[in-house]
Amino acid sequence: MLLNGALVNSCLIPVLQAADADITTIEGLGQGPQLDALQTAFLACGGAQCGICTPGMILAAAHLLDKEPDPTLEEIREGLSGNLCRCTGYMQIFDAVAEAVRRRNCA
Ligand code: FES
């Protein structure tokens, strides 16, 4: 999740530390029923299989794209490196982030 704009592992944040903080979870990324470009790119590229890692991957990618709107593959790998995926082999995830960047640049 994003806590006051910082990427954190939600399971490691004591609840009192989150009190009165600005918190963004995967549910808050899109606009109501409209998915964010990252979410649609994950769907299009097969970046989610079981879905366990997906919220963390997408929020880490959103944090990365806020800091670096046109990342290289290496920057994408580094930006998502705190998240583990047992399903995809990572390439679909990296492709999804790159696809979201392409979609944002074409919009
Ligand atoms: Fe299953 Fe990543 S999609 S752990």
Side-chain angles (χ1 to χ4, degrees), residues 46-54 57 84-90 93:
Q49 290 181 17
C50 81
I52 295 289
C53 72
T54 307
M57 289 288 187
L84 301 177
C85 179
R86 294 188 176 269
C87 301
T88 67
Y90 296 95
I93 292 171

Side-chain angles (χ1 to χ4, degrees), residues 3-78:
L3 184 72
N4 291 331
L7 185 63
V8 298
N9 291 329
S10 58
C11 58
L12 299 178
I13 300 297
V15 69
L16 289 178
Q17 189 176 333
D20 299 323
D22 179 25
I23 297 171
T24 302
T25 63
I26 192 70
E27 290 82 5
L29 205 57
Q31 301 292 320
Q34 182 72 36
L35 296 177
D36 178 80
L38 277 165
Q39 293 169 308
T40 58
F42 267 67
L43 286 171
C45 295
Q49 290 181 17
C50 81
I52 295 289
C53 72
T54 307
M57 289 288 187
I58 291 177
L59 285 170
H63 184 256
L64 169 66
L65 298 184
D66 281 346
K67 295 187 315 186
E68 175 50 64
D70 196 11
T72 65
L73 176 58
E74 193 54 40
E75 289 168 329
I76 293 170
R77 288 176 184 260
E78 178 64 26

